[in-house]
Amino acid sequence: MPMTRALLDLKTLCKKHGLEAKNYSITSDKFNRAKSEDYIKAQILAPRIRQCSVLVVYISPETKGSDYVNWEIEYAQKEGMRIVGVWARGEAQCDVPDALEKYADAVVGWQGTNVIDAITGRMNGWTGPDGDPRENQAIPRHDCG
């Protein structure tokens, strides 16, 4: 499923459960002309991430190779944000970004209840793309605040 369709589906799912999802992704459809990596991180990505209470990472084969996904996850973790990975619909379990392995509070398959429970904090831990339990890949982190 194309990412833009998946993000629309995620927004619809969240709305049905009283949650608001915003897509702050920079894609070929929503690109910017900035060239400086430092500028992109500090002036574009960081402010967008700070506006969120949960960072949702859409896990697809392209995610692990993204230039910015690991940075975004690490930044969200430093901000004390909940981090949730959601396997792309139909995904057969690709590699996940290294930072997601370390910092994810939950990683779930594309099952509506699991996605909402992971976002709201009712579910922690990992499932595979099919929704079956999977051993966590990292030590769970706890808010010390």
Side-chain angles (χ1 to χ4, degrees):
M1 170 190 316
M3 186 172 174
T4 53
R5 179 69 200 161
L7 292 171
L8 288 173
D9 288 350
L10 180 62
K11 281 180 153 185
T12 301
L13 175 65
C14 287
K15 188 174 183 174
K16 280 202 274 189
H17 292 273
L19 304 173
E20 181 182 9
K22 292 190 178 190
N23 176 8
Y24 288 133
S25 301
I26 298 173
T27 65
S28 58
D29 296 335
K30 291 172 44 180
F31 68 96
N32 70 66
R33 298 188 200 300
K35 301 284 188 231
S36 165
E37 185 174 313
D38 290 339
Y39 176 84
I40 292 168
K41 289 176 179 177
Q43 300 301 317
I44 298 172
L45 297 175
R48 291 175 180 183
I49 293 169
R50 284 192 303 269
Q51 292 179 40
C52 302
S53 57
V54 178
L55 178 74
V56 176
V57 179
Y58 184 71
I59 306 168
S60 70
E62 294 79 29
T63 307
K64 180 153 178 94
S66 168
D67 293 337
Y68 292 98
V69 171
N70 278 305
W71 182 88
E72 292 167 342
I73 295 165
E74 289 169 356
Y75 186 84
Q77 189 273 329
K78 288 175 188 168
E79 291 292 309
M81 206 167 285
R82 183 167 181 78
I83 301 167
V84 173
V86 177
W87 295 103
R89 189 174 298 168
E91 181 53 53
Q93 194 144 328
C94 58
D95 291 334
V96 301
D98 294 336
L100 193 63
E101 292 272 357
K102 286 187 207 173
Y103 302 121
D105 294 291
V107 174
V108 296
W110 193 269
Q111 296 83 27
T113 304
N114 286 353
V115 173
I116 295 301
D117 286 350
I119 290 171
T120 60
R122 291 188 297 258
M123 178 180 182
N124 293 305
W126 288 57
T127 71
D130 58 4
D132 288 341
R134 176 181 169 205
E135 186 175 315
N136 282 27
Q137 299 300 305
I139 298 170
R141 64 187 178 99
H142 301 279
D143 185 7
C144 297

